[in-house]
Amino acid sequence: PGGILASFGQRFGYELNGVDFIADPADIEGYLKSLSLRVGSIERADALTWEPSRKFDIVGSFGFIEHFENALEIADRHFRLVKPGGHVTITMPNFARGQWILHRIFDAAQLAVHNTKIMNLRFFREVALRNRATLLHSAYAGGHFEFWPDHSERPPLVKKAMWRTANFAKRVLRRLPGKTNPFFSPYLISVFRAPE
């Protein structure tokens, strides 16, 4: 926890604020300060009910909204936390299409806790429309293929089949033109500008 915040601080010099339901805020704050980054407030709270005392220049979530059936409402909440004209960024894994097949076969437990219906670029356009925001960027990311299952133990034959399938897919898909594809690229990323 705090790694993505650290990246924002290191690359852009922002003051870092955050909310986490599980991680200890003192640990995150200590980690960020150990990197000599400017830290505002790191709080332990439920992000769905958290009411900070101010609005922010940038509000981001990374691998969060895809755990909710009401993902559009969760996305709307980002815009309630950002300043007028500020930026919202939402990223998520891509477990839809070809990735869905791999996860269904080899990683059904992780697939079950993800809302794959929102894992497409159309979802980001709908978020922008609902919030009268400008969609500055939406794309698949992370190359043509990556597959990461959860860390639970599997029988050796299943594990072997899983990694052989993944390695074969990686070899084949790297020949595709461009840098990403909607079927197997591992992430989706979006950046919005909130209305003034």
Side-chain angles (χ1 to χ4, degrees):
I4 295 173
L5 273 179
S7 183
F8 272 86
Q10 290 170 320
R11 295 180 72 185
F12 306 113
Y14 291 122
E15 177 190 277
L16 306 174
N17 297 272
V19 60
D20 198 297
F21 188 64
I22 297 171
D24 183 354
D27 289 345
I28 297 172
E29 190 172 328
Y31 166 66
L32 297 172
K33 286 184 174 177
S34 76
L35 299 173
S36 301
L37 300 174
R38 290 189 304 134
V39 180
S41 173
I42 307 295
E43 298 181 40
R44 177 181 281 153
D46 181 343
L48 305 183
T49 57
W50 181 57
E51 295 295 340
S53 59
R54 60 183 234 195
K55 293 187 182 265
F56 302 94
D57 296 310
I58 297 174
V59 173
S61 68
F62 309 91
F64 177 65
I65 70 169
E66 73 277 4
H67 294 286
F68 299 90
E69 285 301 313
N70 61 336
L72 282 169
E73 294 170 29
I74 306 301
D76 295 346
R77 178 141 177 77
H78 291 61
F79 289 90
R80 289 197 295 276
L81 300 173
V82 73
K83 290 178 181 176
H87 291 85
V88 169
T89 182
I90 298 172
T91 71
M92 67 180 89
N94 177 24
F95 289 172
R97 299 183 175 94
Q99 284 278 356
W100 185 90
I101 295 168
L102 290 175
H103 283 279
R104 181 71 180 91
I105 295 169
F106 297 116
D107 198 24
Q110 186 168 200
L111 186 64
V113 297
H114 287 81
N115 178 356
T116 60
K117 295 187 296 281
I118 68 167
M119 295 177 178
N120 56 70
L121 301 182
R122 185 179 67 253
F123 173 78
F124 295 140
R125 290 192 296 270
E126 191 170 349
V127 168
L129 190 63
R130 284 170 63 98
N131 291 282
R132 297 178 295 115
T134 303
L135 182 56
L136 300 174
H137 180 78
S138 72
Y140 292 90
H144 278 299
F145 180 81
E146 195 63 53
F147 177 68
W148 66 93
D150 71 4
H151 297 294
S152 61
E153 282 301 312
R154 294 172 176 81
L157 282 176
V158 172
K159 197 180 287 189
K160 188 174 186 177
M162 179 177 67
W163 292 121
R164 282 198 173 177
T165 302
N167 287 334
F168 173 77
K170 188 178 271 192
R171 284 197 312 274
V172 170
L173 292 168
R174 72 175 167 215
R175 296 181 180 146
L176 289 175
K179 296 181 179 178
T180 61
N181 69 82
F183 300 98
F184 288 101
S185 290
Y187 302 103
L188 292 115
I189 183 169
S190 62
V191 180
F192 307 85
R193 185 170 54 243
E196 293 288 344

